Amino acid sequence: MRGNRIRGHGLAGYIVLSVFAVPTLFPIYVMLNMAGKDLFQYTLRPLLPTFPYHFENYLYAWQFLARSFFNNLVIIGVSTTIVLLLASMTAYALARHSFPGKRFVFYAILCVLAIPATVIMVPQFMLVVQLGVVNTLFAVMLPYAAHQSLVIIVLYTSFSQLNESMFEAARIDGAGHLRIFTTIVIPLSKPILAAMAIFEVWWLWNDYAWPSLVLSSARLRTVALQLVTFVDGMAIPQPGQEMAANVIAALPIVLLFLFSMKTFISGITSGAVKL
Amino acid sequence: MNHTHVSGRALLTALVICLFVSGFAFATGAREEAGMRGELSIAVWGQIEADPNHPVYSVHELLQEWNGMHPDLRLTYEYNGGQTVTDRFTWIRTRMLSRTLPDVVMIYFPSDDFYDRDLLYDLAPELDKPNPYSTNAAWRDDFPQEAQVVADHMQPDGSLYVAGFTQSGNVGVTSFIYNQDIFDEVGVSVPRTWTEFLDIQAKIKAAGYIPFHQPTAGPLGWLVDWPLWVLKWQLLEDVAAEADINPPHDQISQYELVRAYKRGIFTPNDPRYQEAWRLLKEWSQYWQEGFLAPPQGDPFVEGRAAIQHMMTLWIPQIAANPNVTFDWGTFYQPQLTRESTRYATGATPRRVGNSGAGASGSVFFMIPQTTVQRGRLAPSLDLLHFLTAPPQLEYWCDNQTIPCFDPGTSVEDVYPDPVMQRQMAGFFTPSAFQNGVLNLSFGHASQDTGTQVRKLVQEYLGDAITLEAAMTELDSILRVAYDELIASNPDWVIDW
Amino acid sequence: MMDKPQVLAGHRSARRMRDVRIYLLMLPSLVLISLFFYYPAVSGFIYSFTRVTTRGAVWAGLANYQRLLADTRLIASFGNLAQIVVFNVIVVATMPLMAAVLMFRMRNPRAQYAFRLMYVFPMVVPMVVMIIIWRWIYSLDGGLNILLSLVGLESITRAWLGDRQLVLYAIMFVNFPWMGGLNFLIYLSGLQSISEELFDAAIVDGVGPVSRFFLIELPLIRDQIRLLVLLTVIFWLQRFELPLILTDGGPGWASMVPGLRMYHSISRDFNIGYGSAIGTVLFILVFGMTMLQMRLGRRRAAADNR
């Protein structure tokens, strides 16, 4: 209720934000509107709504995208699981223990954030060639699984704030790392782990450049790759079906977002602010 | 925190050990059994089994037939994806570099980029041996038209790295397609010369249609190369003859290209070469508005553009498209005459493509040396023998957009129906018996150079640069690129 | 940052055993990070001195760097990059901040939630999809030209991505009004962490809405602004998806940026040596920006402590 204290300013805010909301949401309107058009409707009226809305466009696009959804599921599922598991192990070691070389390890992880992804794309690609996994899902999953520096740093700050007395009690009970990890760290850090999972999924779902470099087989394409192929590769123009494909591609993230807005926002902001 | 340097060393050691372990895990792949069993992988050019109406589907059928004859063997496809030929070449290169090419590699456009004795299996010694799937005395005799395709791809040192199907040398794979309804409405007919071609487009433009839909950017941006080649070939007949010193003829190798440049036979300073660029730009006034932007939609199919590029490969898509309600026909890029340019030689326009041209023109196969090392040569060679044996060649021919026929056959002989004659005319006249001179292009030095040349064409077409400045820049690009080529080919005979 | 939990005193060897177990906990992460980040960072630098062919890498000395220095088109692309970066820095320091401040001051929490939803929503649309929509908006028969025709500006309609004078501005204009998404969220969370007492004191002092912004809000979210400016600079130094999908750097070279040229060299032209050389230059730029940022941050932290 902070706004109440300064009067006479609410209206201007509403007006400005409402006005700018129109262009902000315009691409989403374009997407949903065009996705329901057949070629005739598109040629006649590309911008204004037309009836009937052709839901069958979605079915057509889905047939083209189905396989790539499965690929994304595998890639993102596997790599996010690995990232969360390994990153939380490392963050636990860093946050709750002191050992020789701790500072070195910490800064080695931190410095990765300064290495730009695009710049190491060439040698990363050559490495994948040397490992002989070019054009397999491993070529995507392995570097994605290594993409954990940011998660480690965020989890480190979070784990550091946990109360030491619990750890002490557990240690007196004779608990090992595994038990402390599964009975104390994980249960107490569920929200931040969930946020980090969402952050990783969001980041991986959007990635286009890396998979386009290492996945050249049609059967391995990710959703982002398949989408560009769908839009560019058609002999007969199908703007409706193409946009329907876009809507379908955006849907998982939209759903994830709608059902977990709070976690999503905290996940993304915590991920970025700590950068 | 005091023992940082010690633990750092320990960490490093652990990392090195881990690296080695993972390296071994990847390196020790199970060796496959030799002979006609186990698995045989083939890199196919896109999803060849996706569309039964596509001409390339017959290759899929033949591959399956062969697999059926060898039930102990499992044939698997690896898709060479990518949107453009360049993407697919990159795919082959990267797999070649990582020594992970499949056992057999299918390719539409054979390229001397890949030809290397250490990387590909030399098929030439096999040519004199018999093909078990044929009654001919030697494999060589199975190739039609006195093994024209073998001659076309035989390297100067007598090696041969590709074998496959080719269409009769008499049919083209590219043409222009036109909207007959627009032609009738405007009152123009198929042009016979370049001047007439520009004239009818002026009338079409005045009537409010797009005269010619020419993509110069986006996934089909490479289509701008074709008309430029055809213009160039008409103007540079002498240059081509002088540059083309080694077999295979009507193909300029990288060596010949560099030699011609260094000797001043073929340089950007040649006024005839510059004239080809100028003519292209003069024509561009009849292209769609904003032709430098990636095209959105298909104005020809929508009935807004009168003419555009066509390939035999795309004909089935046009024929099956419900939006194409108008009559259409094809004609080839018209001849340059003295009316259009003082450099005109009166030469008949040559065809885009050669016996190695892709799509409905031909399909080729290569066997990498890694296949030999894996002990998979026998089944791979058997597959090539089967595919190129006369019955299979015939089956493939019958499934092309335009069936194979003897050289000299006219469109009337092949298609009695006058509508079909109009639709296919552009692929028959002028005869494709004389195809274009493959790779008479400065960009053939590397894909890098090719990209830079195409960018430069765009700059020139978009008025960002004058012709003189473009040629100066082109020359400096070539100087670097060709010196790099010379440096990476120490075996070249330097005779300049 | 480096807080030290209590270390239990123990026997020397027992302690070493415990240390080994801790290293083992971190080992998988460290192996993956070294293999996929540090090893490529070093080998990328080495590749920039080689020429890579299908047969392998050959030492080429400084040839790639010599070519880089003589490549006028590449140097011009750095000019394009500078324009894009400067524009986006100005944008990120104003537009999303304005949205965040206006939303922060909203009195109705429901309205605030609704607006927040609206301004975050575009973020969840994958970037590739967003770019494809903008490509349609800019096309000859696309959204922008339709809108212009509606308001009687038919004379200025064109294929926006085919106009070499305007294509760079078209790329900058993507995502107009640049208010939503992550930047906005970071500002908003920064504003929400400002202590209420400050605002209460401001009320007592009779501070108006404009002064309130300059006296309280702006100074206290300086960190967020600095962070976002840095992120924006680094983002645009590295990223090339936008020109890649919209224009492929065209027409001609008009919208080329160094990152895209590097991408072309590697993935399309198979000139890995040259691509690595461009990559090394970009790495030095990004690293320099990050160091500068860290130094400024440390100086400010020191000033605050005093």
Side-chain angles (χ1 to χ4, degrees):
Chain A
M1 291 297 111
R2 238 173 242 162
N4 270 334
R5 294 175 190 148
I6 293 171
R7 304 231 162 249
H9 213 68
L11 193 62
Y14 281 112
I15 292 172
V16 171
L17 286 177
S18 303
V19 166
F20 279 114
V22 174
T24 303
L25 294 173
F26 181 65
I28 290 168
Y29 162 74
V30 168
M31 200 162 101
L32 292 174
N33 177 43
M34 207 185 282
K37 289 181 194 294
D38 61 21
L39 191 62
F40 178 71
Q41 292 168 326
Y42 169 75
T43 317
L44 209 66
R45 263 187 193 173
L47 196 60
L48 295 173
T50 45
F51 297 97
Y53 192 88
H54 291 271
F55 285 102
E56 66 269 22
N57 287 353
Y58 289 95
L59 204 67
Y60 183 92
W62 170 248
Q63 286 162 358
F64 199 79
L65 288 175
R67 164 116 222 178
S68 66
F69 262 74
F70 177 73
N71 288 335
N72 267 34
L73 203 70
V74 173
I75 292 170
I76 295 180
V78 171
S79 33
T80 307
T81 310
I82 295 176
V83 164
L84 285 185
L85 184 71
L86 301 189
S88 53
M89 271 158 57
T90 308
Y92 164 70
L94 281 170
R96 307 305 318 182
H97 300 89
S98 91
F99 51 88
K102 178 169 162 175
R103 188 180 287 272
F104 173 80
V105 172
F106 186 83
Y107 279 106
I109 291 166
L110 187 70
C111 274
V112 171
L113 301 179
I115 304 175
T118 315
V119 170
I120 55 166
M121 210 166 67
V122 188
Q124 234 179 28
F125 172 69
M126 294 302 292
L127 173 70
V128 168
V129 168
Q130 282 161 5
L131 294 177
V133 293
V134 167
N135 217 24
T136 67
L137 290 185
F138 288 107
V140 190
M141 288 190 294
L142 283 173
Y144 282 178
H147 182 265
Q148 37 176 266
S149 295
L150 187 66
V151 180
I152 293 175
I153 305 288
V154 173
L155 291 181
Y156 167 84
T157 37
S158 161
F159 290 174
S160 301
Q161 288 154 10
L162 295 176
N163 197 336
E164 173 64 19
S165 58
M166 285 181 300
F167 290 88
E168 230 163 293
R171 264 188 231 113
I172 289 164
D173 278 359
H177 287 313
L178 186 71
R179 226 178 85 199
I180 294 178
F181 190 65
T182 49
T183 58
I184 300 178
V185 179
I186 298 293
L188 288 177
S189 310
K190 270 184 189 153
I192 187 72
L193 285 172
M196 285 294 98
I198 292 169
F199 176 73
E200 279 290 307
V201 171
W202 179 68
W203 184 81
L204 297 181
W205 193 272
N206 274 308
D207 195 24
Y208 171 77
W210 179 253
S212 81
L213 199 64
V214 293
L215 297 179
S216 32
S217 290
R219 73 203 149 91
L220 296 177
R221 287 205 189 100
T222 62
V223 172
L225 288 183
Q226 188 69 347
L227 207 57
V228 175
T229 313
F230 185 71
V231 173
D232 284 343
M234 290 290 142
I236 303 162
Q238 308 165 300
Q241 284 94 328
E242 285 167 11
M243 220 33 103
N246 290 338
V247 175
I248 293 174
L251 214 56
I253 300 292
V254 172
L255 290 179
L256 189 69
F257 169 68
L258 285 181
F259 285 111
S260 59
M261 182 155 159
K262 245 188 174 153
T263 327
F264 189 90
I265 289 173
S266 81
I268 283 172
T269 28
S270 65
V273 169
K274 298 299 184 322
L275 213 74
Chain B
M1 295 286 152
N2 301 331
H3 306 288
T4 302
H5 61 287
V6 179
S7 66
R9 198 180 302 152
L11 192 71
L12 214 66
T13 318
L15 282 181
V16 168
I17 290 167
C18 275
L19 271 171
F20 269 102
V21 170
S22 57
F24 277 117
F26 282 111
T28 47
R31 285 186 84 87
E32 286 174 49
E33 281 179 277
M36 304 301 289
R37 49 201 313 125
E39 196 178 317
L40 192 81
S41 57
I42 176 165
V44 292
W45 196 259
Q47 284 177 283
I48 60 171
E49 80 281 31
D51 180 5
N53 295 316
H54 195 289
V56 82
Y57 189 75
S58 56
V59 175
H60 164 66
E61 289 176 307
L62 291 173
L63 288 170
Q64 293 309 314
E65 188 185 337
W66 179 78
N67 200 176
M69 294 162 72
H70 304 285
D72 292 342
L73 206 129
R74 200 161 59 85
L75 190 67
T76 56
Y77 292 168
E78 288 201 39
Y79 298 99
N80 184 348
Q83 294 159 43
T84 62
V85 175
T86 324
D87 288 351
R88 292 179 181 192
F89 274 21
T90 302
W91 187 88
I92 294 178
R93 277 209 197 82
T94 47
R95 302 294 296 260
M96 214 173 211
L97 180 64
S98 53
R99 306 292 185 263
T100 55
L101 271 177
D103 298 314
V104 178
V105 179
M106 173 180 163
I107 185 167
Y108 271 175
F109 308 84
S111 164
D112 55 3
D113 282 18
F114 305 123
Y115 297 166
D116 187 320
R117 204 168 274 279
D118 295 340
L119 297 173
L120 291 178
Y121 180 69
D122 181 8
L123 298 167
E126 306 289 341
L127 287 171
D128 299 321
K129 299 175 195 167
N131 175 352
Y133 295 97
S134 151
T135 51
N136 288 323
W139 190 20
R140 184 190 301 274
D141 303 332
D142 293 340
F143 296 96
Q145 293 165 42
E146 288 157 9
Q148 177 71 38
V149 58
V150 172
D152 281 349
H153 296 284
M154 186 79 79
Q155 293 305 292
D157 66 356
S159 53
L160 179 75
Y161 299 105
V162 289
F165 311 121
T166 48
Q167 189 114 20
S168 149
N170 199 31
V171 68
V173 292
T174 76
S175 189
F176 292 162
I177 186 169
Y178 66 94
N179 182 324
Q180 182 71 54
D181 291 9
I182 296 180
F183 272 37
D184 290 345
E185 186 192 323
V186 179
V188 295
S189 53
V190 172
R192 285 156 303 171
T193 66
W194 185 261
T195 312
E196 280 182 27
F197 181 49
L198 295 189
D199 286 347
I200 67 160
Q201 290 178 85
K203 288 184 186 142
I204 293 167
K205 192 174 182 176
Y209 293 102
I210 301 168
F212 196 96
H213 179 241
Q214 170 69 69
T216 66
L220 290 177
W222 44 271
L223 275 174
V224 74
D225 290 351
W226 289 354
L228 187 57
W229 289 345
V230 179
L231 289 170
K232 227 161 43 178
W233 290 328
Q234 293 177 70
L235 298 169
L236 294 167
E237 289 252 314
D238 304 349
V239 170
E242 204 182 333
D244 191 6
I245 52 166
N246 288 333
H249 287 301
D250 277 345
Q251 281 187 50
I252 306 296
S253 66
Q254 290 183 339
Y255 170 74
E256 288 166 329
L257 188 69
V258 172
R259 179 182 170 274
Y261 174 77
K262 290 283 179 186
R263 288 193 149 201
I265 298 167
F266 182 38
T267 71
N269 298 324
D270 194 319
R272 293 166 294 179
Y273 176 78
Q274 299 183 359
E275 182 70 1
W277 281 49
R278 195 195 61 76
L279 287 164
L280 188 75
K281 182 159 179 179
E282 185 185 18
W283 175 32
S284 70
Q285 62 182 302
Y286 299 119
W287 298 349
Q288 75 276 18
E289 190 189 339
F291 59 80
L292 288 170
Q296 202 91 16
D298 188 335
F300 182 80
V301 166
E302 290 161 25
R304 293 186 289 124
I307 318 169
Q308 74 166 19
H309 290 285
M310 193 35 50
M311 284 173 89
T312 42
L313 185 68
W314 297 335
I315 290 280
Q317 289 169 351
I318 291 284
N321 193 326
N323 298 303
V324 178
T325 52
F326 47 84
D327 289 330
W328 52 272
T330 57
F331 66 91
Y332 197 63
Q333 185 168 331
Q335 189 180 31
L336 283 174
T337 59
R338 289 282 170 145
E339 278 178 296
S340 314
T341 167
R342 64 194 177 96
Y343 297 106
T345 59
T348 309
R350 286 181 178 237
R351 282 278 176 185
V352 170
N354 66 337
S355 61
S360 59
S362 52
V363 173
F364 287 90
F365 301 89
M366 317 189 283
I367 302 177
Q369 285 289 6
T370 43
T371 308
V372 182
Q373 287 152 17
R374 279 197 296 264
R376 306 301 290 156
L377 178 63
S380 305
L381 203 57
D382 192 80
L383 175 60
L384 260 62
H385 278 139
F386 171 78
L387 290 171
T388 53
Q392 280 67 257
L393 187 63
E394 197 178 322
Y395 182 78
W396 178 81
C397 272
D398 290 346
N399 281 284
Q400 299 313 297
T401 310
I402 301 174
C404 302
F405 49 86
D406 292 328
T409 312
S410 70
V411 65
E412 287 83 2
D413 295 335
V414 180
Y415 297 108
D417 176 16
V419 174
M420 286 295 280
Q421 287 171 16
R422 187 187 66 213
Q423 294 184 343
M424 295 301 173
F427 299 102
F428 284 78
T429 334
S431 162
F433 209 47
Q434 280 267 304
N435 275 302
V437 184
L438 193 66
N439 298 329
L440 185 70
S441 303
F442 292 124
H444 184 50
S446 64
Q447 274 173 199
D448 189 347
T449 325
T451 304
Q452 291 189 72
V453 174
R454 194 172 299 132
K455 286 267 178 214
L456 205 53
V457 173
Q458 286 181 15
E459 290 273 301
Y460 172 61
L461 290 174
D463 279 323
I465 192 170
T466 65
L467 188 54
E468 293 73 38
M471 291 304 147
T472 312
E473 187 174 337
L474 179 58
D475 203 48
S476 62
I477 292 168
L478 297 184
R479 227 174 300 130
V480 176
Y482 289 0
D483 283 345
E484 225 167 77
L485 259 186
I486 293 168
S488 54
N489 288 283
D491 53 326
W492 278 3
V493 182
I494 309 282
D495 66 340
W496 48 81
Chain C
M1 195 153 38
M2 302 291 300
D3 55 330
K4 296 176 192 173
Q6 288 279 304
V7 181
L8 293 168
H11 205 263
R12 209 160 227 270
S13 66
R15 188 186 169 142
R16 188 166 296 165
M17 269 308 292
R18 210 205 52 183
D19 284 350
V20 167
R21 279 207 295 271
I22 290 168
Y23 290 135
L24 281 177
L25 274 178
M26 300 184 301
L27 190 67
S29 286
L30 294 176
V31 167
L32 276 174
I33 289 173
S34 314
L35 189 62
F36 284 97
F37 287 96
Y38 280 104
Y39 170 67
V42 173
S43 62
F45 184 64
I46 296 171
Y47 278 125
S48 70
F49 298 101
T50 64
R51 188 184 304 111
V52 182
T53 68
T54 42
R55 288 169 146 245
V58 191
W59 191 254
L62 288 170
N64 289 318
Y65 289 94
Q66 273 163 2
R67 179 181 165 191
L68 192 143
L69 288 176
D71 191 338
T72 50
R73 295 297 184 182
L74 180 71
I75 291 162
S77 77
F78 275 98
N80 290 344
L81 179 65
Q83 287 183 53
I84 290 176
V85 168
V86 168
F87 177 83
N88 279 288
V89 163
I90 295 170
V91 161
V92 84
T94 52
M95 300 305 280
L97 179 59
M98 182 170 97
V101 168
L102 289 176
M103 221 167 287
F104 175 61
R105 293 180 182 186
M106 228 164 238
R107 39 184 105 163
N108 184 341
R110 277 205 165 153
Q112 199 186 40
Y113 180 84
F115 273 106
R116 199 170 63 183
L117 193 67
M118 274 191 257
Y119 276 80
V120 177
F121 211 71
M123 189 174 82
V124 299
V125 180
M127 188 167 58
V128 176
V129 176
M130 210 55 146
I131 299 173
I132 290 169
I133 292 171
W134 276 93
R135 189 167 73 178
W136 172 80
I137 290 175
Y138 281 138
S139 70
L140 193 63
D141 307 311
L144 183 57
N145 285 343
I146 293 172
L147 288 178
L148 288 172
S149 304
L150 280 179
V151 296
L153 286 172
E154 211 141 24
S155 57
I156 65 163
T157 61
R158 68 196 68 209
W160 295 90
L161 298 176
D163 188 320
R164 69 187 172 86
Q165 313 277 2
L166 296 175
V167 67
L168 209 55
Y169 302 110
I171 284 178
M172 293 174 191
F173 199 75
V174 167
N175 283 339
F176 174 83
W178 317 282
M179 275 179 164
L182 192 60
N183 302 333
F184 155 76
L185 278 178
I186 290 176
Y187 282 133
L188 194 62
S189 68
L191 288 168
Q192 279 165 349
S193 65
I194 297 176
S195 157
E196 295 227 10
E197 288 154 28
L198 276 172
F199 292 106
D200 293 337
I203 304 282
V204 174
D205 291 349
V207 171
V210 176
S211 319
R212 167 177 148 169
F213 174 73
F214 285 104
L215 293 176
I216 306 174
E217 288 158 349
L218 188 62
L220 286 174
I221 54 163
R222 220 164 30 168
D223 277 345
Q224 275 79 6
I225 296 177
R226 214 186 46 208
L227 172 82
L228 284 175
V229 165
L230 177 82
L231 285 182
T232 303
V233 171
I234 292 178
F235 180 87
W236 286 100
L237 278 175
Q238 295 180 33
R239 281 317 172 95
F240 53 84
E241 279 94 341
L242 195 54
L244 173 69
I245 301 176
L246 275 187
T247 61
D248 206 29
W253 296 100
S255 59
M256 184 58 74
V257 292
L260 180 58
R261 188 72 193 284
M262 183 189 77
Y263 179 78
H264 278 170
S265 291
I266 299 153
S267 81
R268 185 169 302 176
D269 303 337
F270 206 72
N271 197 343
I272 291 168
Y274 193 52
S276 300
I278 302 173
T280 304
V281 172
L282 286 177
F283 173 79
I284 291 167
L285 279 176
V286 172
F287 192 73
M289 295 305 298
T290 314
M291 286 295 111
L292 193 73
Q293 167 73 5
M294 281 176 97
R295 176 159 294 191
L296 288 176
R298 219 177 297 146
R299 192 181 298 163
R300 216 180 91 62
D304 285 352
N305 285 343
R306 230 172 279 143

